[in-house]
Structure formats: C-alpha cells, structure tokens
Amino acid sequence: MKYRFITAFTILPLLMSACSSGGEATPEPGEYQQTIKITELDFPGFTEADKAAMTTEMEAVGSAAAGKFCLDGKARGQWKEASSQMAGVMGGHCDTISDKGTATRMDLKMQCGGTANGDVAVTMTGKSFASGYESRMDFDFADPESKATAKLALEFTAKRVGDCAR
C-alpha cells in the first residue's frame, strides 16, 4: 500500500481547526497555540528511521508558528470544526458513524472511503476548557485492494496565548 496520505502539510489544517485549564467550557475567543504529539505510527514498510522522521516533522510543523490560530467564539462548537472538514482534508467521502459530542466534548466516529489512502476509520475524542482544549485523533487505514492496514494516532492540545490580531 502506497501511503501518500497524511503528511504534516495535509493534516495541519484539520488539526488547527479541531480544537485546555479549569472545568469544561467552550474556549474563549482569542489566539491559540497548538501542540501535537504522535502517539502511534504504524505503516507497512516504514523503518524506525522513517517513523522518527515523520513524527519529528509532523510534531514540529503542527506545534510551531503554523500551529497558531484564532477562534472567534461566534459558534459554541467552533473548536470541533475538524469533524466538518474531514471529508475535504481526506478526499473521498466521509460519513459520520456516531457523534455523541457536546459543545465541550468531542466523541465522533467517521468512515471515509475513496481517499488517496483507501478506506479510513477516524475516531476523534476530546474536551474543551475556557482557555483551550485536549483532543485525540485515531486513523485506521485499510487498502481495499491489498488489504494492507496502517495506523496513526495524534494527541493535540491548544492553549490561549492572547487576543487575535485585528
């Protein structure tokens, strides 16, 4: 299975739009800095060096200046916009299997087909706070032709760092 799939540059918009200290609340408007941690990376044919390089690249790009973004606070669930953008980032067609989330919790399962990487099952969980969020995304890839499978799991957090530039 050839994985063109998700590089740091194709997943970054998704991660930046999916949106943590204190009790659960909708994140306040402002500029946020995101931090990404790869917790699982298992692709057929990837050496340990390949995994280390990809992990370093994705974590660095997603956590650097490119990881800054603004939430305007106009929509209660704005921090969860990743779910609505999944189809655009993955390509193909994504269907929501279940969405048990609230304005402050993400609990979403999706199935995407026809992507450049075959079929992809996506699970997103997380919670938001007045000053940020904590989330996890799990991707399970399956090539319908070769039956090869792959996994990618990411944890990301964001903290409010100030007001949005006007």
Side-chain angles (χ1 to χ4, degrees):
M1 179 175 196
K2 182 179 178 186
Y3 292 99
R4 261 184 349 123
F5 100 102
I6 296 183
T7 65
F9 304 105
T10 58
I11 198 167
L12 187 59
L14 170 68
L15 296 176
M16 290 191 324
S17 65
C19 310
S20 297
S21 332
E24 288 181 33
T26 300
E28 297 172 0
E31 183 176 47
Y32 286 78
Q33 175 67 51
Q34 181 167 266
T35 303
I36 298 171
K37 179 176 170 119
I38 308 297
T39 59
E40 184 175 8
L41 181 60
D42 184 16
F43 288 85
F46 269 35
T47 65
E48 289 304 314
D50 293 335
K51 290 178 185 181
M54 188 173 195
T55 297
T56 299
E57 177 188 1
M58 290 179 74
E59 288 179 351
V61 170
S63 300
K68 282 191 174 178
F69 59 96
C70 278
L71 291 177
D72 62 19
K74 292 180 181 173
R76 284 191 65 201
Q78 183 182 13
W79 73 280
K80 299 193 313 179
E81 287 181 5
S83 60
S84 65
Q85 295 182 12
M86 182 60 70
V89 172
M90 297 295 297
H93 174 75
C94 295
D95 293 312
T96 299
I97 305 303
S98 71
D99 185 354
K100 299 176 185 172
T102 67
T104 60
R105 286 214 171 253
M106 184 186 299
D107 184 358
L108 180 74
K109 292 182 184 199
M110 299 180 75
Q111 183 65 43
C112 301
T115 77
N117 304 299
D119 297 332
V120 185
V122 182
T123 303
M124 292 184 266
T125 57
K127 58 186 174 180
S128 65
F129 306 93
S131 61
Y133 63 83
E134 299 170 345
S135 296
R136 178 179 171 96
M137 296 179 77
D138 291 275
F139 298 87
D140 291 306
F141 300 89
D143 185 327
E145 294 176 21
S146 71
K147 305 298 183 209
T149 61
K151 290 183 176 287
L152 172 65
L154 309 117
E155 290 179 354
F156 45 105
T157 60
K159 294 189 186 293
R160 189 176 187 283
V161 294
D163 295 331
C164 294
R166 304 274 177 217

